[in-house]
Amino acid sequence: EAQVTQNPRYLITVTGKKLTVTCSQNMNHEYMSWYRQDPGLGLRQIYYSMNVEVTDKGDVPEGYKVSRKEKRNFPLILESPSPNQTSLYFCASSFIGLTSGSDEQYFGPGTRLTVT
Amino acid sequence: GIQVEQSPPDLILQEGANSTLRCNFSDSVNNLQWFHQNPWGQLINLFYIPSGTKQNGRLSATTVATERYSLLYISSSQTTDSGVYFCAVPNAGGTSYGKLTFGQGTILTVHP
């Protein structure tokens, strides 16, 4: 089954304790990205990646890191989480469109993060 | 950047009713997607519809790219249709992929 998976789905942690949210897709997509969703602010892009070893900042990158060492994986790293990073996080992926003709984006199931 | 507006912001229906949700966007786009965010927070792909009309069961969507709007039709609504409906378009300056700009959503509540 074609899908985007994220782990963990729920996480409660404390300020300053490093954490990683994993994202994996099995569709051979080049493009992957991370969003956060907050009430009243909608979905905002954190980081994106066009392919292996190619990453760039989105609209709200502060406090986050990413890496793209394999095409299928795009982990989100919070080196020192703070309460303002409490949010619902989504990973997404798609083809770039030049190769497959369809750039429909698929989203993971979301990760609810609470930082106390 | 591109602006995306959805209407109505809230919609309350009795089970079995039909509804139309609208999405207006401010610039030309090469694709448009509709999503349903269910009560558990998951974003479910409904339609990828750059233009024309598509149907999937009780749901259908139409995008008129030249007039910069898209419509999502829900027929014979069910309680499981409740949630938030988003439309989203890429904000990548003429490319058809990249960061999606989401509308603010339509909150649909279907009562039994």
Side-chain angles (χ1 to χ4, degrees):
Chain A
E1 180 189 357
Q3 59 183 349
V4 180
T5 57
Q6 294 179 226
N7 282 291
R9 296 287 314 282
Y10 303 90
L11 180 60
I12 300 174
T13 189
V14 297
T15 299
K17 185 177 181 181
K18 181 180 179 179
L19 66 92
T20 298
V21 184
T22 65
C23 172
S24 183
Q25 50 90 9
N26 62 0
M27 296 170 278
N28 202 34
H29 286 164
E30 299 97 347
Y31 181 86
M32 298 185 74
S33 67
W34 278 100
Y35 294 82
R36 60 178 289 175
Q37 184 180 27
D38 302 288
L41 297 175
L43 283 95
R44 295 176 292 170
Q45 191 182 54
I46 303 170
Y47 268 96
Y48 66 94
S49 170
M50 301 291 286
N51 215 321
V52 176
E53 302 292 1
V54 182
T55 63
D56 207 348
K57 297 177 180 178
D59 297 323
V60 288
E62 294 77 21
Y64 304 94
K65 286 176 58 177
V66 293
S67 68
R68 187 93 181 270
K69 299 187 187 307
E70 303 168 283
K71 196 172 186 179
R72 64 184 292 126
N73 296 323
F74 191 45
L76 180 70
I77 303 159
L78 285 72
E79 294 269 4
S80 183
S82 62
N84 64 12
Q85 292 179 297
T86 292
S87 188
L88 177 59
Y89 291 86
F90 290 101
C91 180
S93 74
S94 74
F95 288 116
I96 287 181
L98 298 175
T99 53
S100 76
S102 171
D103 43 30
E104 181 174 5
Q105 291 199 29
Y106 295 86
F107 282 73
T111 295
R112 287 195 184 274
L113 173 65
T114 301
V115 183
T116 62
Chain B
I2 195 167
Q3 305 296 315
V4 181
E5 294 185 357
Q6 291 184 242
S7 59
D10 296 275
L11 188 57
I12 300 174
L13 301 174
Q14 285 296 128
E15 203 166 27
N18 302 328
S19 62
T20 301
L21 283 58
R22 186 176 179 104
C23 172
N24 293 330
F25 42 95
S26 61
D27 206 348
S28 300
V29 297
N30 291 328
N31 81 49
L32 182 142
Q33 291 186 239
W34 282 98
F35 297 91
H36 173 215
Q37 187 165 35
N38 63 24
W40 295 270
Q42 295 176 312
L43 280 170
I44 309 299
N45 287 42
L46 296 178
F47 292 102
Y48 169 83
I49 185 164
S51 63
T53 297
K54 289 186 177 180
Q55 180 148 11
N56 184 3
R58 296 181 296 102
L59 274 61
S60 64
T62 295
T63 295
V64 184
T66 53
E67 297 188 22
R68 300 179 184 171
Y69 73 89
S70 183
L71 302 174
L72 178 68
Y73 307 95
I74 304 174
S75 65
S76 303
S77 58
Q78 300 176 359
T79 56
T80 52
D81 294 331
S82 296
V84 186
Y85 290 80
F86 291 102
C87 66
V89 297
N91 189 18
T95 62
S96 58
Y97 61 92
K99 180 181 73 174
L100 289 179
T101 295
F102 285 76
Q104 76 276 27
T106 292
I107 302 172
L108 175 64
T109 303
V110 182
H111 291 302

